Amino acid sequence: MHTCSSSAAPSLATDESTANASVFLQDVLTGLSKTRKELHCKYFYDERGSRLFDQICELDEYYPTRTELGIMAEHAGAIAERIGSEAVLVEYGSGSSTKTRLLLDHLDSAHAYLPVDISGDHLQQTAQLLRADYDDLEIQPIVADFTTPFELPDAYVSLPTTIYFPGSTIGNLKSDEAIGLLVSIVDQCGPDGGLLIGFDLAKDAAVLQAAYDDAAGVTAEFNLNLLHRINRELDADFDVQRFAHVATYNQDESRIEIFIESLDEQEVCVGRQQFHFEQGERIFTEYSHKYRVDQFVSMADQAGLKMDALWTDSNEYFAVMHLFPV
Ligand code: AVJ
């Protein structure tokens, strides 16, 4: 019988990375214990995962990044006008703030920029680079997971704020979760603030399929990197070669669904816990929702937000929307 012997030394450290590691371990154990096994997509983004995602963004098949950038480049002036002068801009999941620069270049005397990201290192780097280019702008990075409510620094809580949430990251959420997040955005931006959000639009299934299962296999590598990460960080023994990337388009739910599929029957250890996989059994890793504009408007409406303006590309592949609290 296959048993799990954990080689990890019991850790005495109580620093942040140790605490994060034990949350990661708990989430993985819980997720793999479910009847439908699952792993949270936020764990894709370790250093290798972030690099692979950047590679995805460069793929011919992966249209969202370049399409959203194109919309921002073409309409930055009009978008900045809707946001208004002396803006306090809070960005959810700022990464390298590439799209934000287009916006900052057009905003009329922006007051402050508060990038929010879970990756503290990346955030500090980005903030330094921005400070060099935007003299008069207050730049105040916030290390936080924006999927759970968090506080802005005191100096900003009572100011009208524009939340910038690009990248169609909202598409990872089911509609009740998305509405919940929009509600906390309304709370955070205040009655005179707003939301600028990028989201992916429903389109031909073949285009979607190719975007999430590219010919070069980068998305497959990105998805399977989650197993490598679990092996590296959590003393696990996934034989990654015996798993495959699966991306399917669910027409009824209007979303791409991503899984990791076991190619044969096997046992895997994570720490001291053992998990059984049937041949063909899947671990659910990610949803990527594709919206019709009216669907998105109705979700926003349920959260107390009203559309102010909308920009799309000529293919209508992607949308950038500005909304106000009602
Ligand atoms: C970062 C959530 C916008 O859904 O398109 C890309 C993630 N996953 N390829 C997306 C992703 C596989 C991406 N988001």
Side-chain angles (χ1 to χ4, degrees):
M1 200 188 103
H2 178 111
T3 54
C4 302
S5 60
S6 171
S7 62
S11 170
L12 298 172
T14 53
D15 63 6
E16 193 186 304
S17 70
T18 311
N20 288 343
S22 77
V23 172
F24 181 30
L25 176 63
Q26 265 321 309
D27 283 355
V28 169
L29 294 177
T30 306
L32 294 181
S33 302
K34 295 193 171 177
T35 317
R36 183 188 76 160
K37 293 182 172 68
E38 63 182 32
L39 293 168
H40 199 290
C41 62
K42 71 180 170 195
Y43 292 121
F44 281 147
Y45 302 92
D46 66 348
E47 210 181 300
R48 179 163 184 264
S50 301
R51 248 188 299 124
L52 286 164
F53 183 66
D54 287 346
Q55 268 174 258
I56 288 175
C57 294
E58 302 286 320
L59 293 168
D60 284 343
E61 296 102 319
Y62 193 74
Y63 60 84
T65 311
R66 84 176 65 89
T67 308
E68 184 175 26
L69 258 173
I71 295 169
M72 294 303 289
E74 190 178 343
H75 301 288
I79 294 170
E81 226 169 272
R82 301 312 307 171
I83 292 174
S85 57
E86 290 171 51
V88 173
L89 197 66
V90 176
E91 180 171 359
Y92 285 15
S94 48
S96 315
S97 305
T98 315
K99 293 158 201 140
T100 322
R101 282 173 175 266
L102 291 169
L103 209 52
L104 291 172
D105 289 341
H106 287 83
L107 282 173
D108 174 31
S109 53
H111 175 62
Y113 173 54
L114 288 68
V116 183
D117 209 290
I118 359 178
S119 165
D121 288 347
H122 200 53
L123 200 55
Q124 293 304 338
Q125 253 177 38
T126 305
Q128 275 314 327
L129 292 171
L130 282 167
R131 283 194 186 102
D133 294 333
Y134 299 90
D135 291 339
D136 299 329
L137 188 67
E138 283 178 28
I139 298 172
Q140 171 92 250
I142 301 172
V143 181
D145 174 2
F146 60 81
T147 59
T148 54
F150 66 96
E151 297 283 319
L152 294 180
D154 286 346
Y156 303 99
V157 273
S158 56
L159 295 178
T161 296
T162 296
I163 312 292
Y164 182 35
F165 191 19
S168 199
T169 307
I170 194 164
N172 281 157
L173 305 178
K174 287 183 281 180
S175 87
D176 57 330
E177 299 167 336
I179 292 166
L181 181 59
L182 293 172
V183 167
S184 50
I185 286 174
V186 169
D187 197 49
Q188 192 167 68
C189 74
D192 300 317
L195 167 66
L196 181 69
I197 188 166
F199 59 91
D200 202 12
L201 295 171
K203 60 185 63 63
D204 185 70
V207 174
L208 290 170
Q209 191 69 48
Y212 292 88
D213 197 2
D214 61 280
V218 183
T219 307
E221 205 48 57
F222 171 72
N223 191 22
L224 293 169
N225 178 57
L226 198 40
L227 302 186
H228 287 298
R229 179 180 186 183
I230 292 169
N231 285 346
R232 274 194 299 269
E233 295 182 24
L234 302 180
D235 186 35
D237 65 356
F238 278 102
D239 184 354
V240 182
Q241 306 221 65
R242 293 164 73 188
F243 290 87
H245 165 71
V246 175
T248 57
Y249 182 56
N250 182 335
Q251 189 91 47
D252 293 339
E253 300 288 345
S254 193
R255 68 187 175 210
I256 287 284
E257 301 179 347
I258 298 178
F259 305 89
I260 294 171
E261 184 170 307
S262 177
L263 294 174
D264 46 20
E265 189 179 353
Q266 54 185 318
E267 311 293 327
V268 174
C269 292
V270 180
R272 284 189 191 79
Q273 219 160 302
Q274 183 173 275
F275 296 95
H276 176 82
F277 288 84
E278 296 291 339
Q279 181 177 7
E281 186 177 349
R282 291 172 175 186
I283 308 170
F284 161 66
T285 55
E286 188 176 40
Y287 287 141
S288 187
H289 285 85
K290 312 301 169 189
Y291 308 95
R292 287 194 323 261
V293 170
D294 64 297
Q295 280 172 336
F296 195 88
V297 164
S298 135
M299 258 185 4
D301 178 66
Q302 292 175 66
L305 284 162
K306 194 177 177 338
M307 177 169 88
D308 167 56
L310 175 74
W311 300 271
T312 60
D313 55 293
S314 57
N315 292 320
E316 301 199 353
Y317 272 9
F318 201 92
V320 174
M321 189 182 279
H322 186 245
L323 306 100
F324 285 127
V326 282

